[in-house]
Amino acid sequence: MEDVIMKTRVAMMFGGKSVEHEVSVISGIQAYMSMDTDKYDVIPVYMTKNNEMYIGDSIGDIESYKNIDELLKKSQRVIMINEDGRVKLVQYPVKKLGKNVEVGIDVAFPVVHGTNVEDGGFQGYLKTMGIPFVGCDVTASAIGMDKYITKLVLKESNVPVLDARLYTLSDYADMESMMNDIENVFGYPVIVKPVNLGSSVGISVAKSRVELANSVDDAFRYATKVLVEHAITNLREINCSVLGDENDAIASECEEPLHTKDILSYEDKYVSNAKGSGSKGMASVSRRIPAELTPEKREEVRELAVRSFKALGCNGVSRIDFMIDADTDKLYFNEINTIPGSLAFYLWEPVGVPYKELLDRMIQLALKRERTEESLTFTFDTNILNQASFGGSKGSKM
């Protein structure tokens, strides 16, 4: 009699309440279709823009998302519960009579992008539910999504970043003073970006006061805090992915994305490349792989990528975007994508890591972290609630 090999059950989760919702669907289904099904039993889980979860036969079919209303009608809404230490996806609302849909899961694999889902909020939910999850933890996710805090952390690790100013809604209320400050500190051109969004949403370059006003208005449509920094005029953008954790990590091949404007736009990344590309997401962006770099500059990028990844405490796969000032050849960290579009698989295949293996390594890193955390002490046997007196009805200070 042959031994039955139990597969690890993975909830591949995508979508969610984010302006990058559609991009997440593409990335998530790409990952779902590339998983090692001999090793993993994969359940695709679609999260609506209201963060409601659905499973079903059509959830893993990209063609079904052309009509999401119809997709949801033939799919089953579920909620996540932890019952006696076992996490399940359970039919919601629960039927009082008859059998309910119930699916146990061993690990969650969030392939989500942007505010509310990539910024630590969703990771905190999974951690509270007690389910191991792939990718960065709560802290690294939150820091990685906030471009300003990321700069502050990396400065401490001697990673070169451009100086920047942070502006809030109170600054925005006095637009003239805000623009005067930007002009006095940076001059032109400047780049204006929401502090916590990805996929180039709300990001633009301003070369005059009129353009600055438009850029600021646009950025504040998407965030309550906005970052402004000097825009490099002779710019090369170089991206590199990193796989591992804060203790051990390796770098991928480098790429140079090609774009139509001063910066790589959302349209460059997703819209223009979707035509005729079969929903390939970030994998369809026009790019040079490998980037045209000297061996020395390539290694500088890759070393700096690993150092940044470790300094931010990342886990799984992240993509780190760099800027090279072509006039000085100086390299600057630009931003990190803690859950990059298409999970940056196209940067790993050139260095001998196929997508299926990349996904496997990410899951194993998640399970390794879970084992490590299980060895830590989070509770004590003593219980102060058993104490005889709390100092009367007013209580006492501890």
Side-chain angles (χ1 to χ4, degrees):
M1 183 175 177
E2 294 183 3
D3 292 332
V4 177
I5 300 175
M6 297 296 291
K7 297 181 184 179
T8 300
R9 186 163 282 187
V10 180
M12 185 71 68
M13 311 182 79
F14 49 86
K17 185 180 179 181
S18 168
V19 295
E20 299 174 71
H21 177 95
E22 289 78 10
V23 180
S24 171
V25 171
I26 295 171
S27 293
I29 291 178
Q30 279 179 333
Y32 165 66
M33 296 297 292
S34 301
M35 288 283 289
D36 185 348
T37 54
D38 291 333
K39 192 171 184 178
Y40 300 105
D41 184 8
V42 191
I43 302 96
V45 182
Y46 171 60
M47 297 188 296
T48 69
K49 292 184 179 181
N50 293 322
N51 283 334
E52 296 171 350
M53 299 180 196
Y54 284 83
I55 61 174
D57 293 339
S58 298
I59 292 297
D61 177 14
I62 190 65
E63 294 297 317
S64 299
Y65 292 84
K66 292 179 178 178
N67 190 331
I68 291 179
D69 289 338
E70 286 301 313
L71 171 63
L72 298 185
K73 285 178 184 177
K74 60 185 179 182
S75 302
Q76 177 61 58
R77 185 180 173 190
V78 293
I79 58 173
M80 187 179 288
I81 66 168
N82 187 320
E83 189 173 72
D84 298 324
R86 176 72 170 163
V87 177
K88 303 175 182 178
L89 297 173
V90 178
Q91 178 176 332
Y92 182 84
V94 176
K95 291 189 294 187
K96 293 182 179 179
L97 298 174
K99 192 171 182 179
N100 289 284
V101 174
E102 190 175 288
V103 181
I105 55 175
D106 300 310
V107 60
F109 198 139
V111 187
V112 288
H113 307 311
T115 310
N116 301 318
V117 285
E118 191 183 352
D119 59 2
F122 185 50
Q123 289 72 18
Y125 166 72
L126 294 173
K127 191 173 184 68
T128 300
M129 292 304 302
I131 180 78
F133 61 91
V134 174
C136 291
D137 65 11
V138 177
T139 304
S141 298
I143 292 173
M145 184 57 68
D146 190 304
K147 296 178 177 67
Y148 188 67
I149 295 176
T150 296
K151 284 176 180 284
L152 298 180
V153 172
L154 291 180
K155 276 186 177 182
E156 290 295 312
S157 298
N158 296 316
V159 173
V161 297
L162 287 176
D163 290 333
R165 283 283 181 97
L166 187 68
Y167 296 94
T168 65
L169 287 173
S170 62
D171 299 312
Y172 186 41
D174 188 354
M175 183 75 149
E176 291 301 312
S177 295
M178 177 180 169
M179 291 196 296
N180 289 339
D181 186 65
I182 293 170
E183 289 176 337
N184 291 334
V185 172
F186 299 106
Y188 292 105
V190 292
I191 189 164
V192 182
K193 44 180 111 170
V195 77
N196 60 350
L197 286 183
S199 290
S200 302
V201 175
I203 299 178
S204 59
V205 173
K207 300 174 182 177
S208 67
R209 193 174 180 90
V210 171
E211 290 184 3
L212 178 59
N214 292 333
S215 294
V216 169
D217 284 337
D218 187 47
F220 272 110
R221 285 175 55 203
Y222 300 102
T224 58
K225 292 187 286 186
V226 164
L227 195 70
V228 179
E229 61 190 26
H230 168 70
I232 298 172
T233 52
N234 195 358
L235 172 69
R236 291 185 68 192
E237 295 178 60
I238 304 293
N239 302 337
C240 181
S241 180
V242 179
L243 168 67
D245 58 23
E246 70 271 21
N247 300 306
D248 189 23
I250 58 173
S252 71
E253 187 52 84
C254 300
E255 67 165 337
E256 181 169 9
L258 307 175
H259 44 88
T260 56
K261 301 176 184 177
D262 297 300
I263 57 172
L264 189 67
S265 68
Y266 184 96
E267 287 74 15
D268 286 317
K269 288 181 177 179
Y270 303 111
V271 179
S272 62
N273 292 285
K275 298 172 183 176
S277 66
S279 298
K280 296 178 182 177
M282 275 296 289
S284 66
V285 174
S286 298
R287 53 167 57 86
R288 289 194 189 97
I289 301 178
E292 293 180 2
L293 300 169
T294 64
E296 294 78 15
K297 184 61 73 173
R298 177 180 181 270
E299 283 313 302
E300 182 186 356
V301 170
R302 297 173 82 235
E303 185 277 328
L304 205 58
V306 169
R307 187 171 5 138
S308 302
F309 182 94
K310 288 183 174 181
L312 295 168
C314 295
N315 190 292
V317 161
S318 297
R319 193 190 76 237
I320 299 175
D321 301 348
F322 293 95
M323 300 178 291
I324 295 178
D325 186 335
D327 292 331
T328 63
D329 201 36
K330 189 164 183 182
L331 179 69
Y332 297 94
F333 173 99
N334 184 28
E335 65 180 26
I336 186 168
N337 296 271
T338 54
I339 308 179
S342 299
L343 297 179
F345 75 84
Y346 48 87
L347 292 176
W348 290 100
E349 291 178 341
V351 293
V353 182
Y355 197 14
K356 184 183 293 186
E357 181 182 339
L358 181 69
L359 295 167
D360 179 42
R361 289 197 197 183
M362 294 177 72
I363 293 170
Q364 294 308 312
L365 283 162
L367 297 176
K368 173 189 170 187
R369 178 175 61 198
E370 181 71 7
R371 291 192 298 271
T372 301
E373 291 184 351
E374 283 179 351
S375 69
L376 301 176
T377 300
F378 291 104
T379 61
F380 296 95
D381 290 335
T382 56
N383 186 348
I384 62 170
L385 298 178
N386 289 332
Q387 301 299 317
S389 173
F390 293 97
S393 60
K394 294 183 180 179
S396 61
K397 291 183 180 180
M398 303 300 292

